[in-house]
Amino acid sequence: MPIYNAPAKDLQFVLHNLLKVSEQDIEGYADLEADFTGAVIEEAGKIATNVLAPLNAVGDKEGCVLENGVVRTPKGFQEAFDQMRDGGWTALDCDPAYGGQGLPYVMNTAAQEPFVSSNMAFNMYQGLTHGAYSAINVHGSDELKEKFLPKMVTCEWTGTMNLTEPHCGTDLGLMRTKAVPQENGTYKISGQKIFISAGDHDMADNIIHLVLAKIPGGPDGIKGVSLFIVPKFIVNEDGSLGDRNGVSVGKIEEKMGIHGNSTCVMDYDDAEGYLLGTEHKGMRAMFVMMNEARLGVGLQGYAQAEAAYQNAVAYANDRLQGRAVTGVENPDGPADPLIVHPDIRRNLMEQKSFIEGARALTLWGANLIDRAHRNKDADADGLVSLLTPVIKGFQTDKGFEYAVAAQQVFGGHGYIEETGVSQFARDARIAMIYEGANGVQALDLVGRKLAQDGGKHVMAFFEMIKTFIKENEGNEALKADFLDPLKAASKDLQAAGMYFMQNGMTNPNNALSGSYDFMHMMGHVCLGLMWAKMGKAAMEALEAGADDKAFYETKIATGRYYMARQLPTTAMHLARINTGADTVMALDADQF
Amino acid sequence: MPIYNAPAKDLQFVLHNLLKVSEQDIEGYADLEADFTGAVIEEAGKIATNVLAPLNAVGDKEGCVLENGVVRTPKGFQEAFDQMRDGGWTALDCDPAYGGQGLPYVMNTAAQEPFVSSNMAFNMYQGLTHGAYSAINVHGSDELKEKFLPKMVTCEWTGTMNLTEPHCGTDLGLMRTKAVPQENGTYKISGQKIFISAGDHDMADNIIHLVLAKIPGGPDGIKGVSLFIVPKFIVNEDGSLGDRNGVSVGKIEEKMGIHGNSTCVMDYDDAEGYLLGTEHKGMRAMFVMMNEARLGVGLQGYAQAEAAYQNAVAYANDRLQGRAVTGVENPDGPADPLIVHPDIRRNLMEQKSFIEGARALTLWGANLIDRAHRNKDADADGLVSLLTPVIKGFQTDKGFEYAVAAQQVFGGHGYIEETGVSQFARDARIAMIYEGANGVQALDLVGRKLAQDGGKHVMAFFEMIKTFIKENEGNEALKADFLDPLKAASKDLQAAGMYFMQNGMTNPNNALSGSYDFMHMMGHVCLGLMWAKMGKAAMEALEAGADDKAFYETKIATGRYYMARQLPTTAMHLARINTGADTVMALDADQF
């Protein structure tokens, strides 16, 4: 069975050495002392290791089953879900007014990582609920909030997001689901939604569906879409559950992975729904949660890679095969462990240096979301909006790539399901697709975010890098290994942005043909910035005489790997971008 | 259900415009006129489309089942296998002395592609048989050949290759399976072999296992390994089947993909075996077939990408979503087809330009194998030995990558099993692992092949590129788009080789830390060479007034894409290689 242990020390390093959260002037951050965050992470890690990880393969093997209109989750899920509820893990950053603990989002994000690594499919039940909770919390009337939120905070009731229909995913303006206004102020919802994660299951008394639908007579396309609350069971005035609403499961999809999560076709047939927010402003209501939701998916990317990496390291240390080219290292054994071989190391260093960089970027993103929300800081909001498609798109592409790379360490044993590493790759695959396929993230980044507020946020991002380099270039230890590569990569990224400006006006295809490369390039620059800062933080810890020297030395060595071997990728992306649209758009559709 | 149509025109282009096979001075090549090869490919394509493709999802869903010691293949496999046998498709390039048709290997390779694309798991039953046939044909006594080959050529009996054991895959010197000599000249084989593809099934009367084992008292390690024939049923003197031999199936593995092929644990218990070749020279006997076997796996890589690509193109033309940024292209529909979007095009061009380049490289490799075998040409043998790890390693990595990219075009519909594209990715994944994991291919390339015969073959490879560029640099149309990028990429590759020479002597880890990058870099240079030659061939066809102008123009445009957007990757690989072993080997094993 695969192993999993929460990277508690590394999460703490990011929170305290890199972000110095308890020193930040954000409401609630003063409480985030190292002892406190360490205790939370340790407890989350225990549940991940002892409760969730053992159920990961069970969920993959059993999957969810639809029987007589009821979805059965895999054996053990119900008990584990009870434990999550009872421990208050579903409520960490929820509003205390509805029973939440009111902790900052950055704390919740750090605590989530072990849950996602150990059992991504399981964790989606609470993840989706959290998304629905946020939508209602931001857009709901007091009445709706009081009716639904307390039970959602505890996950006694879970939530879903219903966007996709058979004929439309990205292009939601084509939506056909209808919401007909009733005299009593409710709506009758009818239509079919597909790919609804956690759409139905047996672990909660009620399921609160958030459903996008069109009110007849409203504007065409995306501007006529509204958001509704549609509970599985009608909630009576006294809070008790009433009749079954007009919503049912059409089928459960068979998928490449995340078998433990029920992906449902949901059929709405005159279901009673309640308008959330304003008529026809449903997309705006959805967008409010999008940074959080996409950051959560970006976390899934590196968290699956982390789980796969831990197992690859264990296997590489355990499996004896061949001899080190520089001389026998395990003379008493029949062969040396795999980890002596340079190409195995290269593979593991790729994984490790990505994962730790992505962890830093994700928690920084969560930190910016806190600053935006709690301090009403528009600059932080703009910056995290810029970073969001990168966190989602880059990290899920790479997360899958490295889960596959971890599988490769196992050789043939990685292809059979018995060892469990194939599951990490199959589960990670979905993160590249949902919450906006990664091509759409790239389009969002280049088509919208770069130019947002007159390009203010991307300029601020470059300025931040420049300032950091300037402030630290006297630091010899940092300069050659960290600052110089960061400077070069950042220059490449700026040159790509310049290319888009100069060539995208006359033909937008020149920019959009390079959007995917730009997203990856920016991902590398972001991780380069994280590594430069982490390198500095680790050096400072060593200078301050930190106890665990090996940890900080490892951190610096891992950062050096990233800067030397991953950052050069930016030059390749720039070269590709600079070729523009000509070769990309050369063929007619029928020439493919 | 996924579609599949054999790329007959492109296979013909490679055989005739690029390789000009019928003009080559190799025995049997004069018969390879365009009409003949076209007819063979057309027939193979029909079987692929009509018989094998419809069984691909069936095999994935049903898998193979072990019941009472007997393996049942999926519904329809038996009838399809009969059709392959009856049509003579298992015997194309086999020795006429044993019932084969004696065609060149290049013809067999071209005919195999549609079979592999349409149903990789199914095609492995005959693929493994062909490998076993070749081993017996090269190393067997006349008696053994007469006894086993005629039935193997027709696939009435199928074959397997038994190398891996639970504790050893790459490092076969650790092998424990024993072969005890008997007085009658046979051996008693005992031990356990794992990951045996097509290890048992119900589609053949007998299964001929080729088994690596150690004769007690022989040299230690890999030098004491011998190769044996171990039939499932003993073959009597008169050719009839006798007693069941001491070999049985321990279990069938559950895998990420290729469910239609039975991957077995095989238990040998005093099974009667016959020495193939010389005692203790088993590895040498295996190596003879290795170029062919690895080229076959390299073909699997791009052939799965081809199948996935065809479906992605169909979906991109069919699915209406969003509007072209440069103006509506489908005014009568609710949205434009996906294929109008630049990032979808980028994705499809990546796939297309890789697949066509890989097809050319693979058939050139097959051509070189023919030249080596039929003309006893040592230079051709050396060159194809150099190219083999690239064809296997690069093409299977990229084949999987692009099957995943094709899946991405489908969005959420690519993640559910119903559409069938997930299977292409899951099936393609194994090709990166078996026949020597790709890290081992990289090691073979950098650790052995570069220096083979004093570096003669890699020098010849570079010389070939240089000569081609020199001979054609007067061709303006070719120079900027094809020759200049090829020259730059080839220079990068040579610089990497130079780095290895200068830094690998003092510390071999400096070379081996860059082996994987080198393999990919060389893959790009190989495909760059193929594209430069194909660009030239397509231009010549246009100048000669070829009928199908659109085909050749598409070919040139696709080549331009590869040269502009894929070849720049070599600079990145060089930059990584030039950082040597320092960052790769910096950590102690317990620091991971």
Side-chain angles (χ1 to χ4, degrees), chain B residues 216-227:
Chain B
D220 279 346
I222 199 73
K223 291 180 179 158
V225 167
S226 307
L227 185 59

Side-chain angles (χ1 to χ4, degrees), chain A residues 121-182:
Chain A
F122 173 87
N123 198 61
M124 288 170 65
Y125 293 98
Q126 70 152 315
L128 270 301
T129 307
H130 195 278
Y133 153 86
S134 297
I136 299 174
N137 196 32
V138 173
H139 297 286
S141 63
D142 287 343
E143 193 194 333
L144 287 174
K145 293 208 275 192
E146 275 152 30
K147 192 169 190 174
F148 292 105
L149 292 189
K151 299 269 188 186
M152 293 178 76
V153 165
T154 57
C155 272
E156 284 166 277
W157 299 350
T158 62
T160 72
M161 313 290 265
N162 291 240
L163 287 77
T164 306
E165 298 184 7
H167 61 290
C168 67
T170 300
D171 190 354
L172 289 170
L174 303 175
M175 183 175 296
R176 291 179 193 147
T177 299
K178 275 194 192 124
V180 181
Q182 305 298 303

Side-chain angles (χ1 to χ4, degrees), chain B residues 217-274:
Chain B
D220 279 346
I222 199 73
K223 291 180 179 158
V225 167
S226 307
L227 185 59
F228 299 89
I229 297 175
V230 183
K232 178 176 172 182
F233 290 98
I234 302 290
V235 179
N236 298 324
E237 287 300 316
D238 64 356
S240 65
L241 296 185
D243 291 345
R244 180 75 192 250
N245 204 352
V247 48
S248 59
V249 183
K251 72 164 176 170
I252 297 186
E253 304 286 0
E254 283 183 41
K255 310 184 297 291
M256 185 178 181
I258 53 165
H259 298 160
N261 198 277
S262 56
T263 305
C264 299
V265 173
M266 301 301 298
D267 293 315
Y268 293 87
D269 185 12
D270 277 347
E272 184 170 306
Y274 320 108

Side-chain angles (χ1 to χ4, degrees), chain A residues 46 68 82 139 191 224 273 283 302 320 367 399-400 410 509 529 553:
Chain A
K46 277 185 196 162
N68 305 321
D82 287 342
H139 297 286
M283 287 311 291
Y302 84 78
L320 305 180
N367 177 195
F400 172 70
F410 284 77
N509 287 341
L529 175 62
E553 285 165 357

Side-chain angles (χ1 to χ4, degrees), chain B residues 198-461:
Chain B
D200 197 34
H201 58 88
D202 52 4
M203 301 194 295
D205 297 333
N206 202 1
I207 298 179
I208 312 306
H209 302 288
L210 294 199
V211 184
L212 284 179
K214 285 188 171 179
I215 300 169
D220 279 346
I222 199 73
K223 291 180 179 158
V225 167
S226 307
L227 185 59
F228 299 89
I229 297 175
V230 183
K232 178 176 172 182
F233 290 98
I234 302 290
V235 179
N236 298 324
E237 287 300 316
D238 64 356
S240 65
L241 296 185
D243 291 345
R244 180 75 192 250
N245 204 352
V247 48
S248 59
V249 183
K251 72 164 176 170
I252 297 186
E253 304 286 0
E254 283 183 41
K255 310 184 297 291
M256 185 178 181
I258 53 165
H259 298 160
N261 198 277
S262 56
T263 305
C264 299
V265 173
M266 301 301 298
D267 293 315
Y268 293 87
D269 185 12
D270 277 347
E272 184 170 306
Y274 320 108
L275 182 68
L276 191 54
T278 316
E279 270 192 7
H280 312 318
K281 305 286 185 199
M283 287 312 290
R284 196 182 294 173
M286 294 300 298
F287 268 109
V288 167
M289 299 157 301
M290 218 160 261
N291 285 344
E292 271 190 41
R294 291 182 171 180
L295 186 133
V297 176
L299 185 150
Q300 290 182 331
Y302 84 79
Q304 284 303 294
E306 165 76 31
Y309 166 77
Q310 289 191 14
N311 286 280
V313 168
Y315 192 80
N317 274 301
D318 193 50
R319 174 87 169 171
L320 305 180
Q321 207 79 175
R323 291 292 187 187
V325 67
T326 46
V328 170
E329 297 207 7
N330 177 32
D332 299 334
D336 289 339
L338 282 181
I339 204 160
V340 305
H341 302 299
D343 189 61
I344 295 285
R345 295 235 167 196
R346 172 202 58 79
N347 186 346
L348 294 175
M349 288 303 291
E350 295 277 302
Q351 297 172 45
K352 181 175 171 63
S353 65
F354 159 72
I355 292 162
E356 293 178 16
R359 177 174 294 128
L361 180 61
T362 304
L363 289 176
W364 180 40
N367 177 195
L368 287 170
I369 288 176
D370 277 332
R371 184 170 291 282
H373 290 176
R374 296 186 170 221
N375 289 15
K376 310 275 172 248
D377 184 328
D379 288 340
D381 190 54
L383 183 56
V384 79
S385 292
L386 173 73
L387 297 177
T388 295
V390 178
I391 291 173
K392 198 282 182 183
F394 175 72
Q395 289 188 184
T396 59
D397 275 2
K398 289 286 170 187
F400 172 70
E401 179 183 333
Y402 292 128
V404 169
Q407 190 187 13
Q408 190 73 10
V409 173
F410 284 77
H413 298 270
Y415 197 66
I416 59 174
E417 296 294 354
E418 194 180 311
T419 46
V421 282
S422 150
Q423 188 189 349
F424 297 128
R426 289 185 291 99
D427 286 1
R429 181 67 184 90
I430 187 57
M432 296 158 69
I433 297 172
Y434 60 20
E435 272 303 313
N438 287 355
V440 176
Q441 302 296 331
L443 180 65
D444 177 48
L445 176 63
V446 170
R448 283 183 64 231
K449 299 295 175 63
L450 285 187
Q452 206 166 36
D453 299 325
K456 181 179 165 190
H457 307 298
V458 72
M459 299 307 286
F461 174 71

Side-chain angles (χ1 to χ4, degrees), chain A residues 10-92:
Chain A
D10 204 49
L11 283 162
Q12 286 282 79
F13 173 81
V14 174
L15 290 177
H16 301 289
N17 296 67
L18 177 69
L19 300 175
K20 302 187 199 305
V21 284
S22 62
E23 298 170 25
Q24 288 194 29
D25 61 333
I26 300 176
E27 194 204 315
Y29 268 48
D31 296 337
L32 299 181
E33 295 283 1
D35 284 353
F36 174 70
T37 63
V40 173
I41 291 166
E42 196 190 326
E43 287 307 309
K46 277 185 196 162
I47 294 179
T49 300
N50 301 327
V51 181
L52 305 192
L55 291 176
N56 199 37
V58 174
D60 187 54
K61 226 178 157 87
E62 286 189 21
C64 294
V65 184
L66 178 63
E67 274 179 354
N68 305 321
V70 178
V71 174
R72 266 199 299 108
T73 50
K75 193 161 186 289
F77 270 41
Q78 171 80 61
E79 293 75 9
F81 206 59
D82 287 342
Q83 266 189 271
M84 295 293 283
R85 273 195 273 251
D86 295 346
W89 294 105
T90 64
L92 278 194

